[in-house]
């Protein structure tokens, strides 16, 4: 009996030592990441780092977190400033590659060459799962959030009740990932509704905002992806994307090949329900000049009749080397697809 007690005491002491060392290592890693951001020109401030989670989890609680990127980074792509009163970072004590980051409230300031916006969200939980290996290749990444608000200067706030985003690796060692997005109760601002000239009885929120896609990248998402360059998409298989708002509905699917310069080639199938209302909304918002409305309406009416549904559209948009067309009708250039 005495030997058993001794063994238990020794194992407990070893575990306590392991937990303390691993927890301290987690804090050092976070501190190093903050210092790296500062060295890159970020303003990075954290009020306090506190160990928690003993004995089964390694957890660090950060308070009064503020991260602001250098102004020049907004000219190279989308940059995000982060502010949160509390952020909890935790992993199981047996494998730090299963990380959970959660916060009751976070504010993100988004900026880019043509973007200024503020995103706030409640009850956000991000789960990162890395496969056990030296490279730490991504197995899955999920984000689940509660109520959120995206405040855009031009249109006012767009709100939502919840947001779920996921990226899951299909096969070990292959840079192929299944992505999914589902947003609930997305409600545009009053200013945006007025811009589209919607009737007073139009429903407040989108009934459906979903997307599912499979993306093949040029290399794996792993620890090396945190370096200077990101893995770039080479094949995008959009299996299904849908927006439904009142009587208007839009669904998309198709496959695109992306060249090294970011130019896409492929076909996008588009189905639209109640295209006359969509045309009216686009005209009210200023996307279509009033004098072009008759030509656009006549063209869409002909396309709708070809599909056998006068109120709906079923058509293909071709993209070749970044140039879009609908049959023989050019639609302009598609944006380059490059992750920065």
């Amino acid at each position: 009996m005495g030997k058993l007690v001794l063994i238990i005491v020794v194992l407990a002491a070893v575990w306590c030592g392991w937990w303390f060392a691993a927890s301290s290592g987690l804090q050092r890693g976070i501190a190093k990441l903050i210092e790296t951001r500062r060295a890159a020109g970020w303003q990075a401030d954290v009020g306090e780092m506190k160990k928690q989670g003993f004995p089964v989890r390694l957890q660090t609680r950060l308070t009064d977190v503020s991260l602001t990127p250098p102004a020049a980074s907004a000219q190279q792509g989308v940059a995000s400033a982060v502010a949160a009163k509390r952020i909890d970072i935790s992993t199981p004590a047996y494998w730090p590659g299963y990380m959970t980051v959660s916060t009751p409230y976070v504010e993100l300031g988004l900026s880019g060459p043509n973007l200024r916006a503020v995103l706030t969200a409640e009850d956000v939980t991000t789960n990162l799962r890395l496969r056990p290996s030296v490279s730490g290749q991504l197995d899955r990444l999920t984000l689940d959030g509660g109520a959120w608000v995206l405040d855009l200067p031009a249109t006012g706030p767009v709100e939502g009740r919840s947001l779920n985003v996921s990226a899951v690796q299909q096969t070990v060692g292959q840079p192929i990932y299944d992505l999914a997005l589902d947003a609930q109760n997305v409600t545009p601002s009053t200013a945006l509704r007025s811009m589209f000239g919607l009737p007073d009885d139009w429903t407040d929120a989108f009934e459906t905002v979903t997307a599912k896609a499979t993306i093949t990248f040029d290399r794996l998402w792993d620890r090396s992806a945190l370096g200077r360059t990101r893995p770039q998409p080479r094949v995008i298989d959009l299996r299904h994307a849908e927006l439904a708002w009142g009587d208007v509905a839009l669904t998309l699917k198709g496959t695109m090949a992306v060249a090294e310069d970011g130019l896409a080639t492929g076909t996008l199938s588009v189905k639209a329900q109640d295209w006359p209302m969509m045309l009216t909304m686009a005209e009210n918002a200023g996307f279509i000049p009033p004098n072009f409305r008759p030509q656009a309406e006549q063209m869409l009416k002909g396309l709708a009749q070809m599909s056998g549904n006068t109120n709906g559209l079923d058509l293909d948009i071709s993209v070749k080397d970044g140039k879009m067309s609908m049959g023989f009708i050019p639609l302009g250039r598609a944006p380059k697809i490059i992750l920065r």
Side-chain angles (χ1 to χ4, degrees):
M1 185 68 179
K3 290 183 178 180
L4 178 60
V5 172
L6 179 61
I7 291 173
I8 293 174
V9 170
V10 171
L11 290 176
V14 171
W15 183 259
C16 290
W18 156 251
W19 183 92
F20 183 81
S23 184
S24 298
L26 176 60
Q27 286 199 345
R28 287 195 298 270
I30 296 171
K32 183 178 180 180
L33 180 61
I34 293 171
E35 288 303 322
T36 301
R37 295 294 88 190
R38 287 174 178 162
W42 287 57
Q43 180 180 338
D45 298 305
V46 176
E48 183 183 16
M49 285 197 295
K50 184 185 298 184
K51 294 186 182 73
Q52 294 181 336
F54 182 82
V56 295
R57 297 193 67 83
L58 310 176
Q59 180 169 320
T60 296
R61 171 163 291 180
L62 310 178
T63 58
D64 298 324
V65 178
S66 177
L67 301 173
T68 305
S73 63
Q75 304 303 318
Q76 302 170 355
V78 177
S80 175
V82 181
K85 283 292 184 182
R86 191 186 87 208
I87 297 178
D88 291 326
I89 302 174
S90 68
T91 72
Y94 59 84
W95 171 233
Y98 288 176
M99 180 175 291
T100 298
V101 180
S102 61
T103 177
Y105 183 85
V106 65
E107 179 178 303
L108 303 177
L110 306 175
S111 58
N114 299 301
L115 174 66
R116 290 292 184 275
V118 176
L119 173 64
T120 57
E122 300 176 3
D123 301 324
V124 178
T125 300
T126 301
N127 287 298
L128 173 67
R129 299 290 182 263
L130 302 180
R131 297 189 184 276
S133 63
V134 175
S135 63
Q137 64 179 275
L138 177 66
D139 175 24
R140 66 178 59 232
L141 177 66
T142 63
L143 183 148
D144 300 295
W148 55 270
V149 178
L150 177 63
D151 197 352
L152 300 165
T155 63
V158 176
E159 304 178 7
R161 185 177 61 197
S162 66
L163 179 66
N164 307 101
V165 183
S166 65
V168 180
Q169 186 183 36
Q170 277 194 357
T171 307
V172 180
Q174 297 295 321
I176 306 173
Y177 301 84
D178 292 326
L179 278 67
L181 177 147
D182 182 31
Q184 297 291 324
N185 204 44
V186 178
T187 305
S189 65
T190 302
L192 195 57
R193 290 169 57 89
S194 299
M195 181 187 300
F196 288 135
L198 297 173
D200 294 336
D201 60 350
W202 194 269
T203 182
D204 290 337
F206 284 84
E207 285 82 8
T208 306
V209 180
T210 62
K212 292 182 179 180
T214 298
I215 301 181
T216 301
F217 291 88
D218 59 357
R219 60 188 175 93
L220 288 167
W221 282 90
D222 53 22
R223 288 192 177 95
S224 67
L226 300 177
R228 297 181 62 87
T229 61
R230 303 287 182 266
Q232 297 298 318
R234 289 295 171 252
V235 179
I236 300 175
D237 179 13
L238 180 61
R239 302 198 304 276
H240 181 81
E242 182 177 0
L243 292 172
W245 189 18
D247 295 332
V248 170
L250 183 68
T251 60
L252 308 170
K253 66 177 182 179
T255 301
M256 296 285 170
V258 183
E260 291 188 6
D261 56 5
L263 296 179
T265 297
T267 301
L268 190 65
S269 297
V270 181
K271 291 185 178 181
Q273 185 62 37
D274 198 356
W275 64 264
M277 175 56 77
M278 290 186 182
L279 192 60
T280 299
M281 293 167 67
E283 182 184 2
N284 291 338
F287 297 129
I288 297 177
N291 59 355
F292 184 69
R293 168 68 187 254
Q295 297 95 310
E297 189 168 11
Q298 195 65 31
M299 179 185 68
L300 293 175
K301 186 179 294 183
L303 292 171
Q305 289 174 347
M306 290 174 60
S307 64
N309 182 358
T310 57
N311 214 37
L313 286 173
D314 189 351
L315 50 88
D316 291 335
I317 295 177
S318 298
V319 183
K320 185 175 182 180
D321 297 330
K323 297 179 181 179
M324 299 185 296
S325 63
M326 187 172 59
F328 60 87
I329 304 171
L331 299 177
R333 299 194 66 85
K336 288 187 176 182
I337 304 175
I338 299 176
L339 298 182
R340 301 187 183 278

